[in-house]
Amino acid sequence: MSYLFRSYQKLLTRHPLGMQSFQAGVLMGLGDQIAQNFIEKRPVKDLDFMRTAKFFTIGFVIAGPATRTWYGILDRHFGSKGATAVLKKVTCDQFLFAPTFIVVLLSAIGLSQGNDMKSIKLKLEDEYLEILKNNYKLWPMVQLVNFYLVPLHHQVLVVQSVAVLWNTYVSYRTNRGMLTENTQ
């Protein structure tokens, strides 16, 4: 096990963006599989692996690079030590990044589902506020702990690990209309 951790650390040091993007993709895909298996209760033969691949891609291409870049920006502007720096980071994260990122995430999911811009706009109108409200029930506390206790190079991993549950929720929310269409 220590060999795996050392290998991970080495890859993270040599390729921070690539490693953090890959882990974000894996964990977003895992969240989608949890949604399909345990919330939607799909039998194995009905699992949508293409949907999971799309979630992986969104994590790899959007979520990983965006969060890694954002945390670097926060660290440069506010530092990494002290309660004041942490509170500034959480405030910026929750009032600037989170609302914007949710729009980007929901739009990317909609595009990956083949929806046109009109459908995506309607989905945003229907889902955005509820998802944002639920974001505020979870993420401020997670980010307080993350920014206060976790070194910068591990913050994306911590967030993406907690995000497995969040991504399960987002996957379910963004696919539930499709689930009822497919059962009719």
Side-chain angles (χ1 to χ4, degrees):
M1 191 64 150
S2 65
Y3 170 76
L4 287 174
F5 185 71
R6 281 193 311 274
S7 298
Y8 169 75
Q9 288 288 95
K10 188 185 290 184
L11 285 169
L12 188 58
T13 301
R14 288 185 182 159
H15 311 285
L17 181 60
M19 231 6 238
Q20 291 171 340
S21 296
F22 179 74
Q23 71 194 17
V26 168
L27 294 170
M28 278 196 72
L30 179 61
D32 177 66
Q33 275 298 301
I34 292 169
Q36 289 188 53
N37 282 281
F38 298 107
I39 296 174
E40 298 165 23
K41 296 184 182 353
R42 289 180 180 219
V44 173
K45 68 178 180 52
D46 292 335
L47 292 176
D48 185 348
F49 292 105
M50 184 57 74
R51 183 176 118 184
T52 302
K54 290 173 183 177
F55 264 78
F56 169 87
T57 302
I58 291 167
F60 184 75
V61 174
I62 298 171
T67 52
R68 191 214 187 268
T69 301
W70 176 245
Y71 295 165
I73 291 168
L74 290 175
D75 208 60
R76 276 192 304 281
H77 285 287
F78 302 118
S80 55
K81 301 281 188 239
T84 302
V86 170
L87 290 174
K88 287 177 182 178
K89 285 179 170 182
V90 172
T91 300
C92 285
D93 187 63
Q94 291 304 301
F95 292 107
L96 298 175
F97 185 78
T100 305
F101 187 72
I102 291 170
V103 169
V104 170
L105 181 63
L106 295 179
S107 298
I109 292 168
L111 288 170
S112 77
Q113 294 169 335
N115 296 331
D116 60 18
M117 292 312 287
K118 184 179 178 185
S119 299
I120 292 170
K121 185 178 179 215
L122 288 172
K123 190 73 161 176
L124 284 168
E125 289 170 0
D126 290 344
E127 300 286 341
Y128 177 76
L129 284 178
E130 187 66 28
I131 291 173
L132 184 63
K133 281 193 276 184
N134 286 324
N135 168 85
Y136 291 136
K137 293 174 185 175
L138 171 66
W139 290 108
M141 188 57 66
V142 170
Q143 292 296 49
L144 276 171
V145 171
N146 193 32
F147 292 143
Y148 192 74
L149 296 176
V150 180
L152 178 62
H153 62 281
H154 289 301
Q155 288 175 356
V156 173
L157 177 61
V158 169
V159 163
Q160 289 301 327
S161 296
V162 174
V164 168
L165 298 174
W166 178 253
N167 295 332
T168 300
Y169 164 73
V170 171
S171 175
Y172 173 71
R173 287 293 298 229
T174 58
N175 285 287
R176 67 185 180 165
M178 296 173 75
L179 297 172
T180 55
E181 290 169 10
N182 292 337
T183 58
Q184 294 176 350

